[in-house]
Amino acid sequence: MTTTLSATAAGLPTPPDAAKKPHEVKAPHGAQRSDEYYWLRDDKRKNPEMLAYLKAENAYVDAAMAPLKPLEDTLYNEIVGRIKQDDSSVPYRERGYWYYTRFETGQDYPIQARRKGGMDGAEEILLDVNAMAKDKQYFNVGDFEVSQDNRILAWADDAVGRRQYKIRFKNLDTGEIYPDVIDDVSPNLVWADDNKTLFYVENDPETLLTVRVKKHVLGTPASADVLVYEEKDDSFYMGIGRSRDDAYICISLHSTVSSEARCAPAADPKEFVVLAPRERDVEYDVDHLDGRWVIRTNAPGADGKPAPNFRLVTAADDARSRKEWKDWVAHRDDVFIEGFELFDGFTAIAERSNALERLRLIGKDGKEEFVKADEPAFSMGLSTNSEHDTPWLRYTYTSMTTPATTYELNTQTGERKLLKQQPVIGYDPDQYVTERFWATARDGVKVPVSLVYKKGFEKNGKAALLQYAYGSYGSSTDPGFNSTVVSLLDRGMVYAIAHIRGGQELGRKWYDDGKLFNKKNTFTDFIDVSAELVKAGYAAPDRVAAYGGSAGGLLMGAIANMAPQQYRVILSQVPFVDVVTTMLDPSIPLTTNEYDEWGNPEKKDYYDYMLSYSPYDNLKAQAYPAMFVGTGLWDSQVQYWEPAKYVARLRDLQLADKSDGKPPLLFRTNMEAGHGGKSGRFRRFREQSEMYAFMLDQLQVGSRQVGSGPSPK
């Protein structure tokens, strides 16, 4: 490969040029900003001029990527060729049935099924999602639940991609689809014990916030559904679920810094009682087994000391305040408690230490032990443990070289069973190496980095590198196996995950140090990791690519403004790049819930800080890296107009690179999808292959290395 898209740009059509239309965005404190591309926003997605612009950008991508279509096809065939097409999940037992998901060769969507008594029983197909998705550009089943008597199925599906679901019902004895349909809900369903009452969460039709819990009685119109609970504070999200022992149905409410649980007996769910009233900066989540509540919380203990990394407490059935909580598992500064699972004979705690996940087991006698791991960088977590009256713990294990693996551990005897490892056709884990690297950020903080590369790689400063990160909401990016990355490793690239501040890999402080007025740490950490990896010889300084999506797309926009010279190419999916304007508009989904994540720009100090890093507002006349930006027209989390405006303004300001002209800027809108891209297990790999082809071309990465094995068919 000797030419890049920028070198052949003379043969391409002229990039689309969106019209400029004067518009002022005003803040309550009087600040104003000019937004000449504000007109690209259309909540109904019907403006002909806007749609024409998006289609023109797509046509430009088609033309620009035409020379790379063979490479895209090769990558797609490699990625899809690693997938075992007739695959199935590990079955789990619940109320006498074994439930599982399976795929058929050539099919995009799963089949949800079960067998009575054991896996040798007759198969009952609950949902054939392939048939349901026929002739649809997008389709997703977000949740399904079987009634307690095993006879009625309720499910929630979305045929648009905007995450507004419809609930439907099926009689599993007869196959009859009931006429009952409930619109505009989140995919979160719970049956009461009477097998005819379904609890669900209703969304606000404009903001898509989870605002009401309702109950539907089969055979009655949805318009008659009874309101169970309505949340008035629009900074809270809401969900509903059953307790571990099925004794309670609980409504869980949580904001960035506060939470609350309301529970009612599943046998008679008339009154939902608050277990502990919400308090700012106090978070908790609950479960119930063996006649007591077990609660994970960051509330201070009896000694008054704060517990930012969370601790576990217990409470009696009738406890109604924090004063009645009893200490159980103490808070530690070096261990973050992420979750737990209750069993009759033990409790499994999912926790983080030294930026790695681990599982701690606590027996009834108080004895503790850890589930063992075999690699320096890995990801371990709780799997589906549907029953509590068993000594067997199911957990998942993966690393950047080990495909997702499900184990079952007998906590009494120590016996371990391998239930399944994700099959990856043509992949040999012994040909790849993973390691943990610690980069020093500009303020002296050590940032963990997980790396993977092909065996035989030399740290001579010549390789190409793809660096990924997210770094927001306390969401940790763990070092798991990524089948698509194998195509990069086989071409000599290095892949790195930067565990930057804003995630929670190193505990709650790691998160707090990357949000609100500390948000810029997220961006500078990423930039400093790139520099450290180059310095250590993992990559050539002119062959570094960066990749992020959603809030990770904000990260991509920020680093492009702050350190464009460090990156040859940036891949940005559904990027949150218009931070201030979005956060000033409470009608946009997710805005009000996130004031404690980003800040409320109606307050001038937050406004000024957010404005200082918002990618759209900080674009300037300079040389930017080559970029591939993607979005979905129906995205409900990051609206399509954010990346559309960003690309339009960037086209105005982007300067030519000194060497070979202006780097390419491509903007792809999926016209039939939302935040997660196309539905179906194969379609999304077409989008990934297009981005990878663009990146490989820009990095001047050649074909697969000798010894990589045959390219999968």
Side-chain angles (χ1 to χ4, degrees):
M1 194 180 302
T2 58
T3 60
T4 63
L5 293 183
S6 56
T8 60
L12 296 176
T14 302
D17 185 15
K20 296 185 178 69
K21 300 182 181 183
H23 182 87
E24 294 294 320
V25 180
K26 299 179 181 179
H29 40 75
Q32 295 188 83
R33 289 172 300 123
S34 176
D35 188 352
E36 68 278 19
Y37 294 115
Y38 189 88
W39 69 270
L40 285 168
R41 173 178 177 173
D42 175 23
D43 290 29
K44 297 186 182 301
R45 276 82 171 162
K46 292 181 178 180
N47 180 347
E49 187 179 4
M50 176 274 293
L51 292 172
Y53 169 66
L54 297 184
K55 290 174 182 176
E57 288 283 4
N58 280 348
Y60 181 68
V61 177
D62 292 340
M65 291 296 294
L68 298 180
K69 191 65 168 65
L71 175 58
E72 177 193 329
D73 290 343
T74 297
L75 290 166
Y76 177 78
N77 290 331
E78 287 176 15
I79 293 168
V80 172
R82 296 189 192 99
I83 298 172
K84 186 176 185 293
Q85 295 207 16
D86 57 344
D87 199 12
S88 60
S89 66
V90 177
Y92 65 89
R93 187 178 63 191
E94 190 161 18
R95 297 192 301 275
Y97 284 84
W98 289 86
Y99 289 85
Y100 57 95
T101 300
R102 65 177 178 85
F103 286 91
E104 294 184 342
T105 300
Q107 296 293 319
D108 248 323
Y109 295 94
I111 294 171
Q112 306 291 352
R114 69 178 184 177
R115 297 175 189 263
K116 189 174 183 178
M119 287 303 290
D120 55 352
E123 181 180 70
E124 299 178 36
I125 293 180
L126 307 177
L127 297 171
D128 182 347
V129 185
N130 297 288
M132 298 163 71
K134 187 177 181 181
D135 299 325
K136 295 180 174 67
Q137 292 295 322
Y138 178 94
F139 194 79
N140 179 55
V141 174
D143 188 20
F144 68 92
E145 291 292 337
V146 176
S147 58
Q148 295 297 105
D149 63 0
N150 300 316
R151 299 180 62 191
I152 303 171
L153 174 74
W155 79 90
D157 63 52
D158 172 15
V160 176
R162 189 147 173 80
R163 304 195 181 189
Q164 282 283 62
Y165 289 79
K166 294 178 183 291
I167 299 175
R168 309 175 201 269
F169 300 86
K170 177 182 180 179
N171 186 309
L172 295 177
D173 292 335
T174 66
E176 176 190 1
I177 304 297
Y178 292 141
D180 307 49
V181 177
I182 308 168
D183 293 319
D184 299 334
V185 303
S186 69
N188 190 188
L189 318 173
V190 176
W191 286 97
D193 284 354
D194 65 2
N195 303 302
K196 65 179 181 180
T197 303
L198 183 85
F199 289 87
Y200 63 92
V201 180
E202 186 178 67
N203 294 339
D204 182 279
E206 184 176 6
T207 66
L208 306 189
L209 293 175
T210 48
V211 289
R212 285 172 288 274
V213 173
K214 288 186 172 181
K215 64 178 180 180
H216 176 77
V217 178
L218 276 177
T220 65
S223 59
D225 289 356
V226 174
L227 177 66
V228 174
Y229 176 75
E230 183 169 13
E231 178 54 50
K232 301 292 188 180
D233 187 336
D234 59 10
S235 69
F236 277 77
Y237 294 96
M238 179 160 49
I240 188 165
R242 276 180 168 263
S243 63
R244 181 71 164 146
D245 57 6
D246 273 336
Y248 290 92
I249 295 173
C250 292
I251 300 169
S252 59
L253 301 125
H254 63 94
S255 70
T256 304
V257 297
S258 179
S259 52
E260 183 177 81
R262 296 166 175 262
C263 300
D268 186 25
K270 292 179 180 176
E271 183 183 5
F272 284 79
V273 177
V274 177
L275 296 191
R278 67 185 66 175
E279 299 177 48
R280 184 170 176 82
D281 297 322
V282 173
E283 299 173 63
Y284 72 93
D285 50 78
V286 306
D287 207 345
H288 189 274
L289 183 66
D290 196 23
R292 69 173 184 174
W293 295 102
V294 177
I295 302 162
R296 170 184 170 270
T297 183
N298 66 349
D303 57 6
K305 293 182 179 179
N309 281 340
F310 289 81
R311 60 195 182 95
L312 296 185
V313 300
T314 62
D317 269 7
D318 59 354
R320 297 293 180 264
S321 72
R322 286 204 290 122
K323 294 178 181 178
E324 299 167 86
W325 294 358
K326 296 181 179 179
D327 293 345
W328 182 29
V329 178
H331 172 268
R332 287 177 54 180
D333 291 334
D334 59 344
V335 175
F336 177 75
I337 296 178
E338 198 162 48
F340 63 93
E341 193 85 271
L342 304 175
F343 294 82
D344 289 354
F346 67 99
T347 296
I349 301 176
E351 57 187 37
R352 292 181 179 275
S353 176
N354 203 32
L356 293 172
E357 297 171 292
R358 63 184 185 183
L359 294 174
R360 179 173 23 157
L361 307 179
I362 302 180
K364 282 255 184 179
D365 57 2
K367 183 181 177 182
E368 297 187 9
E369 63 176 325
F370 291 98
V371 177
K372 295 178 176 62
D374 305 316
E375 296 172 278
F378 60 89
S379 176
M380 180 188 292
L382 295 165
S383 183
T384 302
N385 290 280
S386 55
E387 298 177 325
H388 56 82
D389 56 345
T390 173
W392 291 93
L393 169 75
R394 284 190 178 185
Y395 68 96
T396 58
Y397 179 91
T398 182
S399 76
M400 296 181 82
T401 59
T402 304
T405 308
T406 302
Y407 289 107
E408 195 169 52
L409 175 69
N410 190 308
T411 56
Q412 294 177 353
T413 66
E415 179 187 359
R416 186 176 79 165
K417 296 179 183 177
L418 171 63
L419 299 182
K420 179 181 180 178
Q421 184 169 85
Q422 172 193 350
V424 185
I425 297 171
Y427 173 75
D428 178 6
D430 291 336
Q431 295 300 308
Y432 305 88
V433 177
T434 183
E435 67 172 284
R436 173 57 59 90
F437 178 84
W438 291 85
T440 303
R442 61 193 64 187
D443 60 358
V445 169
K446 298 291 186 181
V447 179
V449 185
S450 297
L451 293 155
V452 64
Y453 43 80
K454 192 82 182 280
K455 189 171 287 185
F457 165 76
E458 296 181 17
K459 290 189 285 185
N460 57 15
K462 296 180 180 180
L465 165 77
L466 175 59
Q467 181 176 313
Y468 174 84
Y470 186 71
S472 290
Y473 301 107
S475 178
S476 300
T477 306
D478 296 304
F481 182 76
N482 184 338
S483 176
T484 68
V485 168
V486 176
S487 288
L488 308 183
L489 308 182
D490 284 349
R491 288 170 170 80
M493 287 190 66
V494 178
Y495 180 67
I497 299 173
H499 305 286
I500 54 182
R501 281 174 281 189
Q504 215 154 221
E505 289 91 337
L506 289 172
R508 183 68 180 211
K509 188 176 187 302
W510 201 247
Y511 172 32
D512 291 340
D513 285 350
K515 69 173 185 175
L516 296 175
F517 290 115
N518 295 320
K519 190 63 212 170
K520 289 182 184 178
N521 285 335
T522 300
F523 316 139
T524 55
D525 279 0
F526 190 93
I527 293 167
D528 294 344
V529 165
S530 301
E532 289 277 295
L533 291 175
V534 168
K535 182 180 178 182
Y538 287 98
D542 60 347
R543 302 187 77 197
V544 178
Y547 181 20
S550 195
L554 160 66
L555 170 65
M556 295 299 101
I559 66 165
N561 286 330
M562 297 168 68
Q565 73 286 348
Q566 282 191 224
Y567 302 95
R568 177 76 178 190
V569 57
I570 291 178
L571 309 177
S572 184
Q573 281 293 319
V574 293
F576 175 41
V577 285
D578 192 15
V579 181
V580 180
T581 301
T582 291
M583 294 303 295
L584 278 171
D585 188 347
S587 73
I588 295 177
L590 307 188
T591 292
T592 54
N593 303 67
E594 302 189 355
Y595 288 148
D596 288 307
E597 176 74 26
W598 310 105
N600 183 350
E602 293 183 8
K603 300 176 180 178
K604 192 173 186 304
D605 53 347
Y606 283 117
Y607 178 96
D608 290 342
Y609 185 76
M610 295 162 74
L611 186 62
S612 71
Y613 68 74
S614 173
Y616 182 58
D617 294 291
N618 286 279
L619 289 171
K620 58 187 176 183
Q622 65 177 353
Y624 281 90
M627 287 194 203
F628 193 111
V629 181
T631 191
L633 181 63
W634 296 97
D635 195 336
S636 62
Q637 291 181 265
V638 178
Q639 310 292 324
Y640 76 87
W641 56 78
E642 290 202 35
K645 295 194 311 178
Y646 173 79
V647 169
R649 182 177 281 181
L650 181 54
R651 288 202 191 286
D652 296 335
L653 296 169
Q654 186 182 33
L655 299 180
D657 184 85
K658 293 180 181 178
S659 57
D660 56 0
K662 187 181 292 187
L665 170 60
L666 303 186
F667 176 44
R668 170 74 81 189
T669 301
N670 187 324
M671 306 299 281
E672 294 91 25
H675 197 65
K678 292 182 178 180
S679 60
R681 58 174 175 161
F682 300 127
R683 295 181 187 182
R684 62 191 178 94
F685 294 129
R686 180 60 72 180
E687 295 177 334
Q688 187 101 47
S689 299
E690 184 177 56
M691 279 201 316
Y692 277 180
F694 176 80
M695 175 188 69
L696 292 174
D697 177 69
Q698 292 301 310
L699 296 176
Q700 289 285 279
V701 173
S703 58
R704 288 159 58 91
Q705 293 179 342
V706 176
S708 296
S711 178
K713 299 290 188 247

